[in-house]
Structure formats: C-alpha cells, structure tokens
Amino acid sequence: MTGLFKKGYSPMLKIMFSVDENTLRQARLIAEKHHVSVASLLRNYLATLAESGLIEGDSMTGNCQALFDYSLGKLSRHKTRRILGVDDFTLTTMLRVAGFPPPRATNAEEEKMLDDIKDVHFAKADDDKDC
C-alpha cells in the first residue's frame, strides 16, 4: 500500500452539479426501485459513458451517433427508428445495450405537448364559463 490507498486504486472524487426537481424525483424513484442510491446510478452511468469509446474519436458515427442523439432529444423516436431501420422494441434494446439513458422529448415535441396542455386548459376554462 502507498499512503492511504492500495496500489492501482483510484480514490473517489466528489462532483457537484444542478438538476431540476422533477429529474431528481424520478431518479430517486428509479434508485429506490432497484435498491441503489442516486449516486450509484450516476457513477454507473458515467462509468459506462467513459468506457463507451466516445473519447477516442472526435465524433461518433452511424448507429451510435443516432442512438446518442435520440437519447439527448436531438432526434425524434420516429426519425431514429427510420435511420436505424428498427421497431420500438429493438430501438429500446439498442439504447440499453449502448448504455445511454432513456430519451427526453425533442424541443419540438416539448413545444407540442405544452401547446396541447394549453389547449386542454383553455378549453376547460371556456367550458366552466358556460355554466
């Protein structure tokens, strides 16, 4: 042993970052369901990302790039399926095998959802006025 650590052992470093409340709530639920901590989920995700080989090249290509963009919400599910030529089940499986997190909605999809919510909300408000 050298100092406090065994030879070849890398000490854990602490990191700090911000995350929105809903994301943290969802992460806690996932962690609880799988009997692990949120820190453990993050550690595993970062380790998977670090081992993915993404650092070795300037950019990803092909299927990996499409999956990564889909995971980040840069590509819609439909476009990603078309690019990869797969169905929903296969797309989900590929995403998991690649170690990428579930996708977030694209900006366009988020805007459409917000518009739909506004339409429902305002339609309900108009119905309430008629009573």
Side-chain angles (χ1 to χ4, degrees), residues 62-88 90-92 94-95 103-104 106 109:
N63 293 355
C64 190
Q65 182 68 56
L67 286 171
F68 191 67
D69 288 347
Y70 173 55
S71 177
L72 294 176
K74 292 182 178 180
L75 287 177
S76 70
R77 178 175 53 89
H78 299 294
K79 187 167 186 172
T80 306
R81 283 180 47 204
R82 195 171 43 250
I83 290 169
L84 300 175
V86 297
D87 60 16
D88 281 331
T90 305
L91 177 58
T92 303
M94 290 173 76
L95 200 63
R104 57 171 285 154
T106 63
E109 290 169 331

Side-chain angles (χ1 to χ4, degrees), residues 14-126:
K14 292 185 179 190
I15 61 172
M16 185 185 303
F17 60 95
S18 299
V19 65
D20 68 86
E21 186 176 339
N22 186 49
T23 301
L24 182 57
R25 185 178 321 114
Q26 295 297 320
R28 284 180 175 155
L29 291 172
I30 293 167
E32 183 179 321
K33 180 179 180 181
H34 295 282
H35 309 289
V36 296
S37 66
V38 172
S40 176
L41 289 175
L42 289 170
R43 230 183 344 268
N44 288 334
Y45 173 70
L46 291 174
T48 300
L49 192 58
E51 294 168 3
S52 70
L54 295 176
I55 201 166
E56 294 159 4
D58 290 340
S59 64
M60 292 180 278
T61 58
N63 293 355
C64 190
Q65 182 68 56
L67 286 171
F68 191 67
D69 288 347
Y70 173 55
S71 177
L72 294 176
K74 292 182 178 180
L75 287 177
S76 70
R77 178 175 53 89
H78 299 294
K79 187 167 186 172
T80 306
R81 283 180 47 204
R82 195 171 43 250
I83 290 169
L84 300 175
V86 297
D87 60 16
D88 281 331
F89 179 78
T90 305
L91 177 58
T92 303
T93 303
M94 290 173 76
L95 200 63
R96 287 184 180 177
V97 169
F100 296 135
R104 57 171 285 154
T106 63
N107 289 339
E109 290 169 331
E110 285 180 357
E111 289 297 321
K112 184 180 180 322
M113 286 187 270
L114 287 172
D115 288 341
D116 290 346
I117 290 169
K118 288 175 190 173
D119 291 344
V120 169
H121 175 73
F122 291 127
K124 182 174 179 348
D126 290 341

